[in-house]
Amino acid sequence: YYKALSVNKVNVRSAEGKIPCRWTTPDRVPHRHMWLWDSVFHALAIVTYNGELAKEVLRAVFSQQRSDGFIPCTMSPNGGDEVTQPQVLSWGVWTVYKKTGDKEFLKECVNALEKYLVWDINNRDKNANGLLEWSGDPDDVACKCGESGLDNSPRFDFDSDMDAIDFSTFLANDALYLSYIYGELDEDANSKKWKAIYDELKDKINSLMYDEESGAYY
């Protein structure tokens, strides 16, 4: 427990460059950068002993959001890259809120959360069937699909445009948590809208990606 706590705390960094508050990195060496979903995982641990720091870790990610809603996969005090990562921010914000009870934090984050999910919907569905595709490069030996968090998985050796069960499920899950956040803020219309998006995604995933014969999703 204490070793885990030590590793968690030693990888917190101070405000620097374009990042206006404390932020976290998976490890100071060799990575040294801030990652979208890693930051959420860090915040979920940090909130168990320091709620204010957990909120800063998520604020640091939102501080790098672009005007169109996009949030980079990898960020640094000098900027970010051109791919994103799995949608876990609504889940992270909701979990930190449930631990801290800070409704002002929900108000602070909700618009950024919606803009980010809308960006994914508008920019990661090339065939317009409601399911998302990772942005990857099968010919990149170093990292075929860093956006997915699976990097060099052989699933990306041949086709970077496949409908991705995990990407679509991440989106559905975060849409559901965004509906919870809007509900907590008494914005019933927005809560119902994102719950409907969740329901529609869930139905599409189950109807288009599940194979009864093998009992698996593809």
Side-chain angles (χ1 to χ4, degrees):
Y1 172 84
Y2 289 111
K3 179 60 177 176
L5 184 67
S6 174
V7 170
N8 197 213
K9 291 178 70 176
V10 78
N11 289 304
V12 177
R13 304 194 62 166
S14 298
E16 183 182 356
K18 295 181 178 181
I19 304 176
C21 58
R22 289 179 291 179
W23 55 285
T24 57
T25 180
D27 52 88
R28 290 175 178 266
V29 178
H31 289 103
R32 298 189 300 278
H33 296 312
M34 176 171 69
W35 268 260
L36 192 164
W37 74 337
D38 296 69
S39 298
V40 175
F41 303 148
H42 301 161
L44 295 181
I46 290 169
V47 76
T48 63
Y49 62 86
N50 189 331
E52 291 305 311
L53 176 57
K55 286 183 277 187
E56 282 192 63
V57 169
L58 296 178
R59 286 186 182 115
V61 174
F62 290 125
S63 75
Q64 304 306 296
Q65 185 173 39
R66 299 176 190 175
S67 60
D68 62 356
F70 172 79
I71 299 176
C73 163
T74 309
M75 295 156 273
S76 77
N78 301 315
D81 58 21
E82 297 302 321
V83 294
T84 189
Q85 266 197 321
Q87 309 96 326
V88 291
L89 279 164
S90 295
W91 170 50
V93 167
W94 177 257
T95 304
V96 168
Y97 162 69
K98 295 298 284 186
K99 291 282 189 180
T100 63
D102 185 357
K103 192 171 285 190
E104 291 300 314
F105 182 63
L106 290 185
K107 294 178 183 177
E108 176 187 337
C109 298
V110 68
N111 290 335
L113 291 170
E114 175 157 351
K115 284 178 65 178
Y116 176 57
L117 293 187
V118 169
W119 186 92
D120 278 316
I121 291 168
N122 290 339
N123 291 274
R124 289 296 185 264
D125 182 16
K126 295 178 183 177
N127 57 10
N129 68 347
L131 300 171
L132 304 190
E133 305 95 36
W134 298 113
S135 175
D137 181 0
D139 298 322
D140 186 341
V141 176
C143 188
K144 300 175 189 298
C145 188
E147 185 166 272
S148 71
L150 297 177
D151 297 354
N152 284 326
S153 169
R155 70 186 283 202
F156 302 112
D157 283 353
F158 309 106
D159 184 1
S160 62
D161 293 332
M162 59 185 169
D163 290 324
I165 176 68
D166 46 356
F167 204 0
S168 300
T169 304
F170 280 123
L171 175 61
N173 193 60
D174 239 34
L176 182 62
Y177 277 101
L178 184 54
S179 77
Y180 294 161
I181 291 170
Y182 272 124
E184 198 76 359
L185 296 175
D186 297 320
E187 295 191 32
D188 292 339
N190 281 325
S191 180
K192 290 177 180 177
K193 178 182 78 173
W194 283 97
K195 177 58 165 57
I197 290 172
Y198 161 77
D199 287 332
E200 183 179 4
L201 267 167
K202 179 178 67 173
D203 290 344
K204 284 182 177 179
I205 290 167
N206 287 325
S207 64
L208 298 177
M209 308 188 87
Y210 185 70
D211 177 63
E212 291 280 356
E213 184 175 351
S214 61
Y217 288 88
Y218 295 91

